[in-house]
Amino acid sequence: MYKKIMIIAMIAVAICLFIFKPNKKTEEVNAEQTLTNRIIVIDPGHGGLDNGANVGKVREDQLNLKISLALKEELESRGATVYLTRDDDNDLTHRDYNYSKQDDMYLRVRKIDSYNADLFISIHLNASTVSSIWGSQVFYYGKSDTAKELATDIHNAMKPVTGTRKKIESANFYVLRCTKTKGVLVECGFLTNGNEKGQLASSKYHKKLAVAISDGIETNLSKVPPIPTEPEEPLS
């Protein structure tokens, strides 16, 4: 009787192992690193004494960093090497007095270019005196066709998430104009719009934005071979 029970138990275990055997093909697909050998820089806008747009107790610089960290995590999960221009509540001058926007932007540009990256993304939130205005928007430097293509790819990937009706737009922002690295500035939405402010404060929405922006980056880089050279010694 005992032998029969043992035989039945062994058969049951064998059946379970067969039924629940991992699908090797599925594991390989899930483990695919689509951005391996890609270097991406994320620039969380503002920081330190420069809070950016403030609406009540909601500060742009804090949310820019949270969205940027979510984006970093998503890009790294796809195999990319990711650097941040800042990873705490400081601008790049690290001053607690006599803040200089010009100095901060100069240091951002130097740091972005020091990584010899495939591209960079500057993360921001928008504001308006008209509370009904809403929608994400991607800006690029008007003299760069490659940046325009990157802006288009990211914009198209973000539209299903943000529902924006805005179009990509050229801009003369210092961080876009003065960098050698291909890049865009992403305004993820308007803090001055009640509905968007609630979304932009949500970590779940940060994840959705991160996935969408990463999809746009992936689409863009699939057309471009990786940069073969190593990054320079990054600025501290």
Side-chain angles (χ1 to χ4, degrees), residues 119-160:
L119 57 85
F120 78 90
I121 309 291
S122 190
I123 297 293
H124 287 258
L125 302 179
N126 222 330
S128 172
T129 56
V130 182
S131 62
S132 59
I133 294 178
W134 62 281
S136 63
Q137 191 167 20
V138 185
F139 293 89
Y140 64 96
Y141 183 48
K143 293 183 179 180
S144 172
D145 291 335
T146 56
K148 182 177 182 180
E149 187 173 17
L150 174 61
T152 300
D153 291 333
I154 291 176
H155 170 76
N156 289 339
M158 291 183 73
K159 277 176 68 175

Side-chain angles (χ1 to χ4, degrees), residues 121-215:
I121 309 291
S122 190
I123 297 293
H124 287 258
L125 302 179
N126 222 330
S128 172
T129 56
V130 182
S131 62
S132 59
I133 294 178
W134 62 281
S136 63
Q137 191 167 20
V138 185
F139 293 89
Y140 64 96
Y141 183 48
K143 293 183 179 180
S144 172
D145 291 335
T146 56
K148 182 177 182 180
E149 187 173 17
L150 174 61
T152 300
D153 291 333
I154 291 176
H155 170 76
N156 289 339
M158 291 183 73
K159 277 176 68 175
V161 173
T162 66
T164 187
R165 297 174 186 173
K166 296 183 179 298
K167 298 179 180 180
I168 65 170
E169 191 172 324
S170 64
N172 203 36
F173 301 137
Y174 187 93
V175 72
L176 300 180
R177 183 180 76 250
C178 296
T179 42
K180 297 176 183 178
T181 310
K182 174 177 71 175
V184 296
L185 187 146
V186 180
E187 296 277 6
C188 296
F190 282 77
L191 283 178
T192 44
N193 180 277
N195 290 333
E196 274 198 323
K197 183 178 77 169
Q199 288 180 313
L200 293 167
S202 164
S203 59
K204 289 183 179 179
Y205 193 64
H206 299 166
K207 175 64 175 176
K208 290 181 180 180
L209 290 172
V211 170
I213 295 171
S214 297
D215 286 346

Side-chain angles (χ1 to χ4, degrees), residues 21-223:
K21 184 179 180 180
N23 188 323
K24 187 175 279 188
K25 188 175 181 180
T26 301
E27 286 181 347
E28 289 173 357
V29 171
N30 292 341
E32 187 178 359
Q33 301 277 280
T34 51
L35 291 175
T36 300
N37 298 323
R38 299 297 192 171
I39 300 173
I40 297 167
V41 181
I42 305 172
D43 174 43
H46 307 286
L49 296 179
D50 178 12
N51 300 145
N54 292 331
V55 179
K57 295 182 179 180
V58 180
R59 287 171 38 187
E60 180 192 352
D61 61 338
Q62 291 180 341
L63 292 182
N64 288 342
L65 182 57
K66 289 180 179 181
I67 294 169
S68 295
L69 290 171
L71 178 57
K72 181 177 187 289
E73 182 179 359
E74 179 62 27
L75 289 169
E76 287 178 339
S77 76
R78 303 185 190 203
T81 299
V82 184
Y83 299 100
L84 294 173
T85 57
R86 69 177 181 94
D87 57 9
D88 57 19
D89 187 21
N90 285 291
D91 63 87
L92 267 67
T93 67
H94 292 274
R95 296 176 189 157
D96 56 4
Y97 62 93
N98 292 338
Y99 169 75
S100 168
K101 184 71 174 177
Q102 184 176 359
D103 290 350
D104 176 46
M105 296 310 301
Y106 170 75
L107 291 171
R108 284 177 196 269
V109 166
R110 283 193 62 199
K111 192 165 190 179
I112 289 168
D113 284 342
S114 73
Y115 293 112
N116 196 30
D118 291 275
L119 57 85
F120 78 90
I121 309 291
S122 190
I123 297 293
H124 287 258
L125 302 179
N126 222 330
S128 172
T129 56
V130 182
S131 62
S132 59
I133 294 178
W134 62 281
S136 63
Q137 191 167 20
V138 185
F139 293 89
Y140 64 96
Y141 183 48
K143 293 183 179 180
S144 172
D145 291 335
T146 56
K148 182 177 182 180
E149 187 173 17
L150 174 61
T152 300
D153 291 333
I154 291 176
H155 170 76
N156 289 339
M158 291 183 73
K159 277 176 68 175
V161 173
T162 66
T164 187
R165 297 174 186 173
K166 296 183 179 298
K167 298 179 180 180
I168 65 170
E169 191 172 324
S170 64
N172 203 36
F173 301 137
Y174 187 93
V175 72
L176 300 180
R177 183 180 76 250
C178 296
T179 42
K180 297 176 183 178
T181 310
K182 174 177 71 175
V184 296
L185 187 146
V186 180
E187 296 277 6
C188 296
F190 282 77
L191 283 178
T192 44
N193 180 277
N195 290 333
E196 274 198 323
K197 183 178 77 169
Q199 288 180 313
L200 293 167
S202 164
S203 59
K204 289 183 179 179
Y205 193 64
H206 299 166
K207 175 64 175 176
K208 290 181 180 180
L209 290 172
V211 170
I213 295 171
S214 297
D215 286 346
I217 290 172
E218 195 172 300
T219 297
N220 184 263
L221 289 182
S222 68
K223 313 168 195 173

